[in-house]
């Protein structure tokens, strides 16, 4: 068995503190101000706008600008992640939102119209995740994913993830009497996972989540029908919510040795 070095232990402790310790009032105030600044894309860690009308304010007032080495992050968060390559295993909640039937949609709409639709979905989903205090894990293909860690989203991270899934459904028209403007399914799961900076010190890297928990959350989103939010029992119990009698399903997910029980939120049960 290989024991971690003193430097590795220090980095792990730094990440665990960042991901699990509650933010100070000043840190929360800065984060809120960055939330309301307009612009996309945004840093997935602090949500500072990297381009758009709010980017000059973020640069002048908060010293945050696109990193020269990793333009997906702001310079401040890039420096933190680059100096602390690694991460920590924590309990968190994950939300995956997945476009249903994207191949058929692309064929029917054509390349340009489909790209506009997917961009609208990305903008809608990321706006909800940002304002619900998620770390943005992935905005790629036909899927968006957010990490709800206790240090930022709070101890009620599972509830925040479920509420964000509901908000995304409402924003895409699934909570109204009319037809949604994009077919969407979502999955929410809570569990242990590794969160941190994965890559190399001299190259690019990503802030990501690894392990069985994100794999399960992604599979739940892929298994959800249009308008459904599939919530694992672990997330449902951690959230402490009561939606009344919900449909439950026992799903055989790819790569899982045992079935997983989910609670199904639909348009009729999503306020």
């Amino acid at each position: 068995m290989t024991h971690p070095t003193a430097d590795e232990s220090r980095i792990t402790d730094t990440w665990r503190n960042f991901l699990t310790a509650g933010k100070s009032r000043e840190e929360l105030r800065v984060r809120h101000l960055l939330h309301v600044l307009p612009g996309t894309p945004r840093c997935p860690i602090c949500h500072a706008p990297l381009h758009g009308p709010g980017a000059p304010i973020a640069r002048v007032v908060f010293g945050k600008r696109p990193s020269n080495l990793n333009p997906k992050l702001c310079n401040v968060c890039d420096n933190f992640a680059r100096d602390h390559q690694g991460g920590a295993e924590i309990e968190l909640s994950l939300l995956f939102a997945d476009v249903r039937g994207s191949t058929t949609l692309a064929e029917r709409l054509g390349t340009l119209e489909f790209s506009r639709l997917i961009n609208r979905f990305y903008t809608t989903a990321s706006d909800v995740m940002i304002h619900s205090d998620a770390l943005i894990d992935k905005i790629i293909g036909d899927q968006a994913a957010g990490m709800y860690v206790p240090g930022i989203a709070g101890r009620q991270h599972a509830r925040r993830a479920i509420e964000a899934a509901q908000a995304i459904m409402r924003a895409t028209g699934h909570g109204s009497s009319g037809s949604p403007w994009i077919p969407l399914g979502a999955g929410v799961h809570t569990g242990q996972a590794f969160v941190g900076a994965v890559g190399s010190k001299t190259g690019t890297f990503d802030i990501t989540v690894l392990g069985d928990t994100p794999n399960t959350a992604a599979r739940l989103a892929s298994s959800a029908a249009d308008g459904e939010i599939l919530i694992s029992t672990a997330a449902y119990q951690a959230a402490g919510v009561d939606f009344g009698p919900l449909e439950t399903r026992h799903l055989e997910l790819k790569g899982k040795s045992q079935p997983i029980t989910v609670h199904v939120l639909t348009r009729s049960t999503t306020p």
Side-chain angles (χ1 to χ4, degrees):
M1 181 177 179
T2 303
H3 295 283
T5 65
D7 190 52
E8 289 171 336
S9 295
R10 177 187 62 80
I11 289 174
T12 297
D13 290 343
T14 299
W15 272 101
R16 182 172 289 109
N17 182 68
F18 167 70
L19 295 167
T20 62
K23 304 292 103 176
S24 68
R25 181 171 297 181
E26 177 62 20
E27 288 173 311
L28 291 174
R29 186 184 72 85
V30 170
R31 192 174 183 85
H32 174 74
L33 291 173
L34 291 172
H35 280 178
V36 300
L37 292 178
T40 57
R42 291 175 177 269
C43 175
I45 299 179
C46 69
H47 300 157
L50 303 179
H51 297 284
I57 301 174
R59 182 172 60 251
V60 173
V61 177
F62 301 103
K64 290 177 176 286
R65 63 183 184 276
S67 166
N68 292 328
L69 297 175
N70 192 342
K72 293 188 294 185
L73 301 177
C74 78
N75 58 313
V76 176
C77 293
D78 176 64
N79 289 337
F80 169 81
R82 198 170 295 277
D83 291 341
H84 300 86
Q85 285 280 309
E89 184 174 346
I90 63 165
E91 181 182 85
L92 78 164
S93 296
L94 289 151
L95 162 61
F96 279 70
D98 194 292
V99 178
R100 306 284 76 213
S102 58
T103 301
T104 303
L105 268 177
E107 182 180 29
R108 177 169 61 86
L109 296 176
T111 303
L112 181 59
E113 193 61 32
F114 180 70
S115 67
R116 288 172 176 165
L117 181 69
I118 292 297
N119 186 64
R120 183 182 177 189
F121 159 64
Y122 289 162
T123 301
T124 300
S126 60
D127 281 351
V128 170
M129 290 178 181
I130 285 169
H131 286 90
S132 58
D133 291 325
L135 299 179
I136 305 300
D137 181 31
K138 294 180 180 69
I139 300 288
I140 188 169
D142 57 1
Q143 190 176 78
M147 300 181 283
Y148 290 81
V149 301
I152 297 174
R155 290 183 296 177
Q156 291 293 319
H157 50 86
R159 178 176 292 190
R160 300 291 298 277
I162 293 172
E163 290 173 346
Q166 293 175 288
I168 290 173
M169 286 299 178
R170 288 193 297 270
T172 52
H174 289 84
S176 63
S177 57
S179 298
W181 51 264
I182 192 168
L184 201 67
V188 179
H189 184 44
T190 297
Q192 295 284 326
F194 173 90
V195 180
V198 177
S200 66
K201 289 183 179 296
T202 57
T204 61
F205 56 88
D206 286 320
I207 306 300
T208 192
V209 56
L210 301 172
D212 179 65
T213 296
N215 291 340
T216 299
R219 297 275 190 253
L220 292 183
S222 298
S223 300
D226 180 23
E228 289 184 343
I229 304 170
L230 301 187
I231 307 168
S232 70
T233 295
Y236 194 79
Q237 291 178 345
V241 293
D242 182 9
F243 293 104
L246 295 180
E247 177 191 354
T248 57
R249 296 177 193 162
H250 304 285
L251 302 179
E252 299 276 355
L253 300 180
K254 182 179 179 181
K256 300 287 290 183
S257 60
Q258 298 294 326
I260 183 169
T261 301
V262 297
H263 305 262
V264 184
L265 279 180
T266 61
R267 178 182 303 197
S268 61
T269 54
T270 302

